[in-house]
Structures are given as structure tokens and as C-alpha cells.
């Protein structure tokens, strides 16, 4: 791994310290990217779930309104005769 890093190519006398610093920076960047990706996934799932919940509630209300008999339907055929 050491032969392939950019810090090992440049040697100014403090190669070990620069190597350790660049590895630390790379690790911090990796952790930050993973946190951003995890938050993106969590918020995506949350908003997708909210959207599906709102749509399903609307569909349930739409079906309930369709199943309720209208006043015209009750008046037809009903009467004292």
C-alpha cells in the first residue's frame, strides 16, 4: 500500500508523518462521505414512506367515498308502496 500512495512519492525528510497525515485525512473523508450517504438514504426512505402514506390515505378516502351509497340510490325503490 505504501508504494502506491501519493505521499510516498514525495519525500522531504518527514515521509512517515506525511504518510500518517494523509491516511488520517483519507479516513476522515471516507467517514464523512459514508455519513452523507447514510443520511441521504435515511431521509430518502423517510420521505418515500411519507409520500406513500399520504397517497394510500388518499386512495382509502377515495374508495370510502365510492362505497357510500348516494341519496339518489336510496330514494329509488324506497317508499311506503
Amino acid at each position: 500500500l505504501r508504494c502506491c500512495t501519493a505521499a510516498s512519492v514525495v519525500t522531504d525528510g518527514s515521509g512517515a508523518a506525511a504518510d500518517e497525515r494523509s491516511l488520517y485525512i483519507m479516513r476522515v473523508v471516507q467517514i464523512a462521505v459514508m455519513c452523507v450517504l447514510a443520511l441521504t438514504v435515511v431521509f430518502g426512505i423517510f420521505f418515500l414512506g411519507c409520500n406513500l402514506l399520504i397517497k394510500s390515505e388518499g386512495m382509502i378516502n377515495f374508495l370510502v367515498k365510492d362505497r357510500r351509497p348516494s341519496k339518489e340510490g336510496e330514494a329509488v325503490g324506497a317508499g311506503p308502496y
Side-chain angles (χ1 to χ4, degrees), residues 17-72:
D19 235 7
E20 190 173 330
R21 186 169 182 261
S22 68
L23 286 175
Y24 175 76
I25 290 173
M26 282 196 318
R27 182 65 63 189
V28 169
V29 168
Q30 285 177 350
I31 290 172
V33 168
M34 289 302 292
C35 287
V36 168
L37 288 175
L39 285 173
T40 303
V41 169
V42 167
F43 280 117
I45 291 172
F46 176 73
F47 286 120
L48 182 65
C50 288
N51 193 14
L52 288 174
L53 187 66
I54 291 169
K55 285 183 185 283
S56 65
E57 186 178 346
M59 286 295 286
I60 289 171
N61 289 338
F62 179 71
L63 290 173
V64 166
K65 286 179 184 176
D66 276 356
R67 292 185 142 200
R68 192 178 305 151
S70 65
K71 292 184 178 181
E72 294 174 2

